[in-house]
Amino acid sequence: MAPFRTAARWLGWLVGGGVLGWLLLAHAPKTYPPLSSHQVFTIVFPAGLKGAAEPIVTTGSFGNADLLAVRYLEATQAVFVYDVWGMGGPLSQPFDFVPGQPCTLELDLPTLAVVSEFKSHEKRPLRIVLAGRELISEGVYFHRRAPEEIYFAANPIGGSVSNAQFRGELRDSAGATLRGQIAPALKWPGQVAQLLAHQPWLVLGIVLTAIIAGGAARVVPIWILEQLPARDPVASSRRAHVLRGHAHAPHRWAAATILFCGGVFATLITGGTFRFVVEDSFGTFYDHQAASVLQGHLNVPDKALSGEAFIVGGKIYGYFGITPAILRLPLVAADIAFGKVIRLFMCGYFLAALVAAYALLCQAARAVFGPGLWPSRWATIVFLLSSGLGSTLLFLGSRAYIYHEAVLCGAMFTLWTIFFSLRYLHAPDNRNGIAALACGVLALHARPSSGLFALSLVGVVAALHAWPKVRALAFGAARRDLAVLALAGLGVLSFNGLSYLKFGTFDGSPLRYSVQYTPERLARFDGKNFHLVNVSHNFDVYFVRPDFRLEPYFPYFFLGARQGRGYPGAKMDLTEPTLALPFAMPELFMVALLGGIWALAYAPAARRPLLVLLVAVAPMTAALLTAIVTSHRYTGDFCPILIACAAWGVAALDGETLPLRRGFLVVASTLTALSVFTTLAISLFFQGDSVWGVPDEMKQNYQHLRQGVDGFFGATHR
């Protein structure tokens, strides 16, 4: 025991020091050179694309930004657009320009200088002078910005006002070309010093957090070791025999929890109106796709896609999968609520996903405890709440449009693929293999990334069954498993085959045919959807970066932090604010990670399923880490693997000795509450204040809720 205590002591120091360093570097403000509100630039306009808007200066963060952009009226005529996120702003007088010819641009912007505080409803001067001609001069609203939150000729924070890049050239008074952020004046030691000088209370909180983390890393392992029952050397008892299940099935508690989660999802997706049969902006594509299928073709009318259209041979196609359209075929054939069912379908996917999560938990419990035994009620409720309300599955209900429907539909079918695949792993038979294949193919044609995981899992399980028989040259006995393996491979290729029917290429998203992608935009990432150089950037986004901020007004927790990390070698097209998995879904992430490790160590029945899941998820993870786009909705692709691994972790820890079980459930309940708060906060703000296309009534309901809560607590904000 003494060596273990020494190791625990060193672990405490390592964890405490690691947390301290990580939080300091994550929160240290980057000290950028100060700017004045008046600046003189040289600007070179490209040939205008009629109707397109391109950024000149972007300040702030997602949901709290101000943008100055140029909007082209003709090839040689444009206006400047000033937009305050959530409020809009003025247009300048139209002006003519000569493409490729430099001219002087004088700007007075409220947020060129750092803005940390302002008075309520304060206005400051906006003045734009181009080549000596004053185009606009008036007072405007603005947002706060941190020192690093300023970007020239680029818009990395999203929104619907402008594209991501200015195709022309912007130079400062010294002649240096400006693109993106200017370089920080201080390196990280100086940044930490500035943090200590300007935010001492934050530093104190970081230090206390590091002390708590280090103390927990030192004390908890010793406590766990003391709780483990002594092994009987005479009986040579196995550790797994200590795990004890529960005799009573928690079906009623599970059903109540699933219905409660479904009610919250329904409230969110309808904005509190509970209107389910309505037409949502950019939510009718799958209905049009279903109508096209019934007519014997795959192209759709322009109104189905608009800005997401891919034009091939004069016909319009979408890169979105076909599964949600297939599910709509009966309604479209009967002409029932055409284009008005996306909310209903998304509610159905959500409920089906939670039923699959519960089925996985029961499956894991029976494997760990034995036939006829179940997880406890408490563990079931906590697990389902974290899977439903504490995960990206709920966030997808913040906006009913095809981006979110695709991810949610794919996640649901992937969860059912996991269920049938693990049954096939335990007892191979035709029914489980066919069901897994069917769900996997449907998942792939809803969301290719999650479907890739689903069919990889089916293939890995089939290969595990087939290999011993093939090795023994028993090809007849291996025929069924080899057929499942081959069909899983064909299922993956079916996505490329369908792409060929639409685009004449096996590429599932040939961006050169998209109406959004100019040659200049394609050149930034070589026209390819995946790059190995993106791995570091995307790993940081999905697994490390604490991309959030806390504010003293509702909903308190906001997606989009005031710090970022530069990856100049990455070839990215779009980087939307994304909360890394440990912060977006802390309960699922920690239980999947730590609970999965516990199950691997102490529940032999969990080892094979967990290892199979980890192998199968590798292709999907590689695709997401090399993609040219990152977005918070894409964290929904990780929900199935987290839920599946967490189910085994919950089953193993729920059957432990009473002190361990209670300790686990208390910690899991706390993390679930944190997960639910986080997900609800970012979902409400995304719906009510950030994303485009949400009906005015839903936005007004959000503002009324926000004002009511802030008024009750006496908080003030713009």
Side-chain angles (χ1 to χ4, degrees):
M1 192 69 176
F4 188 83
R5 291 182 182 276
T6 301
R9 188 182 306 114
W10 281 105
L11 178 64
W13 282 108
L14 289 173
V15 171
V19 170
L20 178 65
W22 172 53
L23 291 178
L24 282 176
L25 294 180
H27 289 277
K30 293 183 177 179
T31 305
Y32 286 79
L35 298 174
S36 67
S37 295
H38 176 78
Q39 295 289 325
V40 179
F41 304 95
T42 298
I43 189 167
V44 180
F45 292 102
L49 301 174
K50 186 176 181 179
E54 297 173 350
I56 305 300
V57 181
T58 304
T59 62
S61 58
F62 185 80
N64 292 275
D66 303 317
L67 298 96
L68 177 66
V70 58
R71 180 178 296 160
Y72 300 105
L73 305 179
E74 300 291 345
T76 59
Q77 189 179 55
V79 295
F80 285 108
V81 180
Y82 180 78
D83 183 79
V84 182
W85 196 301
M87 301 177 66
L91 301 177
S92 75
Q93 299 176 35
F95 61 89
D96 296 321
F97 62 89
V98 178
Q101 178 176 311
C103 52
T104 301
L105 175 65
E106 295 183 53
L107 293 181
D108 285 275
L109 294 179
T111 53
L112 274 174
V114 174
V115 177
S116 57
E117 296 182 357
F118 55 84
K119 299 176 183 178
S120 180
H121 298 285
E122 179 185 358
K123 288 186 176 182
R124 293 186 186 178
L126 166 68
R127 184 171 178 264
I128 303 175
V129 179
L130 181 67
R133 177 190 171 192
E134 185 176 85
L135 299 176
I136 188 171
S137 180
E138 64 178 85
V140 292
Y141 292 115
F142 56 95
H143 291 91
R144 294 179 297 170
R145 83 163 177 91
E148 74 276 12
E149 293 177 343
I150 184 167
Y151 312 90
F152 294 99
N155 172 22
I157 62 176
S160 58
V161 174
S162 74
N163 295 334
Q165 299 284 340
F166 176 53
R167 293 179 297 117
E169 190 173 351
L170 187 68
R171 307 179 196 137
D172 64 14
S173 57
T177 299
L178 299 174
R179 180 75 63 178
Q181 290 177 300
I182 51 179
L186 296 176
K187 301 301 181 182
W188 70 265
Q191 296 171 14
V192 173
Q194 289 292 315
L195 182 68
L196 181 61
H198 296 289
Q199 300 186 60
W201 290 108
L202 176 60
V203 174
L204 178 60
I206 289 174
V207 171
L208 290 176
T209 301
I211 292 173
I212 293 171
R218 178 177 177 177
V219 173
V220 170
I222 296 175
W223 179 81
I224 291 176
L225 188 64
E226 292 174 344
Q227 303 305 319
L228 294 178
R231 297 178 183 269
D232 183 354
V234 177
S236 298
S237 61
R238 293 176 61 89
R239 178 69 186 86
H241 294 167
V242 177
L243 300 179
R244 297 184 178 88
H246 302 267
H248 301 289
H251 296 331
R252 287 180 294 179
W253 295 86
T257 306
I258 291 172
L259 290 176
F260 173 74
C261 293
V264 175
F265 185 89
T267 304
L268 178 65
I269 201 169
T270 62
T273 65
F274 294 101
R275 295 176 183 170
F276 295 98
V277 185
V278 296
E279 182 175 324
D280 281 281
S281 174
F282 205 52
T284 64
F285 166 75
Y286 291 123
D287 301 79
H288 289 287
Q289 185 72 86
S292 299
V293 170
L294 290 174
Q295 295 166 13
H297 58 83
L298 294 172
N299 58 291
V300 295
D302 178 64
K303 61 182 178 181
L305 283 169
S306 185
E308 287 286 4
F310 284 61
I311 301 179
V312 182
K315 297 180 179 180
I316 295 174
Y317 299 90
Y319 70 92
F320 301 96
I322 201 170
T323 294
I326 292 175
L327 299 177
R328 283 168 165 79
L329 286 176
L331 294 179
V332 173
D335 195 22
I336 298 175
F338 185 90
K340 299 180 179 180
V341 294
I342 185 170
R343 298 181 184 181
L344 285 174
F345 271 85
M346 290 183 68
C347 287
Y349 302 146
F350 182 80
L351 290 172
L354 289 188
V355 173
Y358 178 58
L360 284 170
L361 178 62
C362 294
Q363 184 182 62
R366 287 193 295 269
V368 170
F369 304 142
L373 296 177
W374 305 90
S376 67
R377 296 170 179 175
W378 187 1
T380 299
I381 293 171
V382 169
F383 174 73
L384 289 175
L385 285 175
S386 63
S387 299
L389 303 186
S391 76
T392 305
L393 297 183
L394 178 66
F395 172 80
L396 297 173
S398 61
R399 174 73 163 90
Y401 59 169
I402 55 180
Y403 302 120
H404 284 190
E405 182 178 1
V407 178
L408 186 56
C409 182
M412 182 271 291
F413 278 115
T414 300
L415 282 167
W416 281 109
T417 303
I418 296 172
F419 174 75
F420 288 116
S421 295
L422 295 185
R423 291 187 67 176
Y424 178 46
L425 177 67
H426 177 68
D429 61 61
N430 291 333
R431 291 176 299 176
N432 288 326
I434 292 172
L437 278 170
C439 291
V441 171
L442 289 170
L444 182 80
H445 287 283
R447 173 71 177 159
S449 50
S450 57
L452 178 60
F453 165 43
L455 287 174
S456 297
L457 178 61
V458 178
V460 170
V461 173
L464 280 176
H465 287 314
W467 173 244
K469 302 168 187 176
V470 171
R471 191 176 182 183
L473 302 180
F475 294 103
R479 183 175 53 189
R480 179 180 59 191
D481 299 314
L482 291 174
V484 173
L485 178 60
L487 289 172
L490 290 174
V492 173
L493 294 177
S494 69
F495 175 76
N496 304 97
L498 188 63
S499 299
Y500 188 84
L501 293 177
K502 292 189 291 186
F503 308 124
T505 172
F506 293 112
D507 186 351
S509 182
L511 298 178
R512 61 187 180 276
Y513 296 132
S514 171
V515 298
Q516 291 188 15
Y517 286 83
T518 62
E520 293 82 3
R521 184 175 179 182
L522 289 169
R524 292 204 306 270
F525 49 88
D526 301 333
K528 299 178 181 179
N529 290 293
F530 304 97
H531 293 277
L532 283 175
V533 294
N534 293 344
V535 170
S536 296
H537 173 274
N538 293 4
F539 183 86
D540 182 31
V541 167
Y542 289 124
F543 295 100
V544 179
R545 187 180 303 179
D547 193 14
F548 69 90
R549 68 185 191 280
L550 299 175
E551 299 286 354
Y553 51 82
F554 185 85
Y556 310 111
F557 187 98
F558 294 86
L559 182 61
R562 292 177 179 169
Q563 73 275 341
R565 297 175 177 85
Y567 293 90
K571 296 183 178 181
M572 301 299 299
D573 175 50
L574 181 63
T575 54
E576 295 181 349
T578 303
L579 191 57
L581 297 177
F583 307 97
M585 298 175 270
E587 200 278 341
L588 277 180
F589 185 84
M590 296 306 296
V591 174
L593 179 62
L594 301 181
I597 293 174
W598 189 274
L600 285 171
Y602 295 119
R607 292 169 187 164
R608 199 179 189 203
L610 284 172
L611 292 175
V612 165
L613 287 168
L614 293 177
V615 170
V617 80
M620 182 198 80
T621 304
L624 291 173
L625 292 183
T626 57
I628 60 174
V629 178
T630 56
S631 175
H632 187 70
R633 64 175 174 268
Y634 294 171
T635 60
D637 292 333
F638 291 102
C639 283
I641 183 64
L642 291 178
I643 289 172
C645 291
W648 289 94
V650 167
L653 289 166
D654 190 43
E656 275 294 350
T657 57
L658 191 58
L660 271 175
R661 176 176 172 270
R662 285 179 176 173
F664 157 68
L665 290 175
V666 168
V667 172
S669 300
T670 304
L671 289 176
T672 296
L674 179 62
S675 301
V676 172
F677 166 75
T678 299
T679 307
L680 279 175
I682 61 177
S683 300
L684 287 171
F685 184 76
F686 184 78
Q687 179 186 80
D689 203 84
S690 299
V691 70
W692 55 271
V694 175
D696 290 339
E697 183 180 12
M698 293 170 63
K699 286 183 173 288
Q700 291 170 2
N701 288 346
Y702 168 74
Q703 293 299 333
H704 291 157
L705 173 63
R706 191 179 188 187
Q707 292 168 6
V709 174
D710 288 340
F712 180 81
F713 290 104
T716 58
H717 59 88
R718 188 183 307 284

